[in-house]
Structures are given as structure tokens and as C-alpha cells.
Amino acid sequence: MFGFLDVPAQGAQHAVAWLADLVHPLFGELSTAAAIVVSIALIRLALHPLARAAVRGEKTRAALAPQLRKLRDKHKNDPARLQEATLSLYRDSGTSLFAGCLPMLAQMPFFMVLYRLFSSAALGGAPNPMLAHTVFGVPLGGHFASALGAGPQVLVFAGLFACLACVAYFTARWQRNRPGAGDVPGAGLIRLMPYGTVLFAAVVPLAAGLYLLTTTAWTVTERAYLHRRLMVA
């Protein structure tokens, strides 16, 4: 079904292998995992302009908070009209409720390629060598379900889930404290969404879990930095 990803996955295979060789003196058997983290960091660095644009959009939305409160009071008994008026207000101000999603959407192709790289037994008609690499004995293509009966391997996933939950906590706290956070429709649900990464990591390969951990940690750090720099400007 996703065979069209084989070509970019082969390219990613060579890139990850090259980076793994580069960092091997520092990380040894963990060099492939480290190469994945470095790759994600480079991707996020390239997408930094989108993150800056998203934070500028948040600044605009924070300025609209008083008008949003008036709209809620005016249309409190008409949810459909409230939604229409809210979208119209955002449209007139030149911003969008979904501007903050741009960095995440731009990452999707890279995530799909990484998933293909560590979930396919063969690439280009040849065995996939990436599946032989491990993190403390757990294959990078391994899943949480397969580790349940493997004793110490469960600890690797437990550590991953704990780190993801920690990042999700800081993400949710940042979302709760940012200006105008309570004026966004569905704000309570939005603050719970970061914890979904823990559930998602339980059903994807370990390499994809490392991707989630790295990119979410980058996001919360980047947003905190940009919030401090741009929101007060």
C-alpha cells in the first residue's frame, strides 16, 4: 500500500547509516538511534520558520481574546453562530485557528518515511539492514506488544513512555498558561492531546517513538523560546 515510500525510505536509510557512522565513536551501539535524533533535529531546524509564523499567529489570537469573550457572551445560546462568528473574526484578522499546526503537518512526510524505514522487512528488493539495529537490546523496528514477554525490553519502552508523558505535561502546562488559551474553542481537549503521544508510541516501532519524543521535546522548547522572544515584542 505504501510502496511509493520505498524510494525515499532507501534515501533515508543511506542518510541515517552515514550519520550513524559519523557519531559511532561517541554512541557506539546506540549510534543508529542517535542518528535518528540528529536527523529529526536537522528537520526541525529547517522547519523553524514555520514555527515562528505559528507563534506570530498565536500573538494575533491573544490580541483577539477580548473580542472572543464578547462573541461568547453574545452567542452563548447559539453554538453554530458562535463558531461562524469566531472563524470570521480569525479570517478578518489574517490568522487561523490551525496556524499552529503547520510545523506538525510539514513533518508528516518525514514521519511516514521513517515509519516505512523501520517497519518494512525489505526495501528495494533487499533485506532492510536498519531492522538489525537496537536500543539496549530492543530492535528499532520492535513494538511494545512484542516486548511484553521479553523481560528487560519492556523497560526501554517504559522509559520512552515516561519521557513522552513528561514532555506532554510541560506541553499541556504551556498551553494552559499562554495568553488567550481559555478563549480557544475546545481548549480543555487541546490540553489533553499531548498525552496522546504515549498511546501512539505504544503501537508504532521504537524508532517512530524516538521520533515522537525528539520532535515533541523540540516543539515545547522551541515554542517556549519563541513565545518569550516574539510574544513580548
Side-chain angles (χ1 to χ4, degrees):
M1 181 178 179
F2 296 102
F4 67 94
L5 292 174
D6 279 2
V7 173
Q10 286 178 278
Q13 173 191 332
H14 294 301
V16 171
W18 178 79
L19 280 172
D21 289 340
L22 193 65
V23 301
H24 189 271
L26 291 175
F27 295 97
E29 294 182 359
L30 297 176
S31 58
T32 301
I36 293 172
V37 173
V38 172
S39 299
I40 299 164
L42 292 174
I43 291 169
R44 291 307 308 267
L45 192 60
L47 296 177
H48 181 70
L50 291 180
R52 296 180 72 88
V55 172
R56 290 192 183 98
E58 291 171 9
K59 183 177 181 179
T60 301
R61 291 194 295 275
L64 296 176
Q67 298 178 62
L68 288 170
R69 284 192 290 269
K70 291 180 181 178
L71 287 176
R72 284 205 306 273
D73 292 338
K74 182 179 179 180
H75 303 295
K76 59 183 178 181
N77 297 321
D78 190 348
R81 178 59 181 160
L82 174 60
Q83 183 180 17
E84 180 182 347
T86 299
L87 293 176
S88 177
L89 177 62
Y90 281 129
R91 184 168 56 250
D92 292 342
S93 67
T95 188
S96 167
L97 275 169
F98 307 103
C101 298
L102 288 176
M104 180 184 68
L105 293 175
Q107 289 180 73
M108 286 304 297
F110 300 102
F111 179 83
M112 292 172 65
V113 169
L114 182 77
Y115 183 88
R116 183 69 177 179
L117 178 59
F118 286 96
S119 63
S120 299
L123 291 173
N128 184 358
M130 289 289 107
L131 300 183
H133 297 278
T134 64
V135 174
F136 300 118
V138 181
L140 282 166
H143 291 71
F144 174 61
S146 62
L148 286 176
Q153 290 191 10
V154 177
L155 297 178
V156 174
F157 283 97
L160 173 65
F161 298 157
C163 290
L164 282 168
C166 183
V167 173
Y169 167 78
F170 284 106
T171 301
R173 190 176 73 169
W174 170 78
Q175 289 176 338
R176 182 178 63 249
N177 295 333
R178 64 181 178 173
D183 298 302
V184 177
L189 178 61
I190 290 174
R191 288 195 291 270
L192 290 176
M193 289 177 64
Y195 292 97
T197 57
V198 180
L199 298 176
F200 192 58
V203 297
V204 296
L206 177 60
L210 289 177
Y211 186 108
L212 289 173
L213 177 59
T214 305
T215 196
T216 52
W218 181 289
T219 295
V220 70
T221 304
E222 182 180 58
R223 286 296 181 90
Y225 168 76
L226 290 176
H227 180 84
R228 187 181 298 272
R229 287 289 302 273
L230 299 179
M231 295 293 279
V232 299

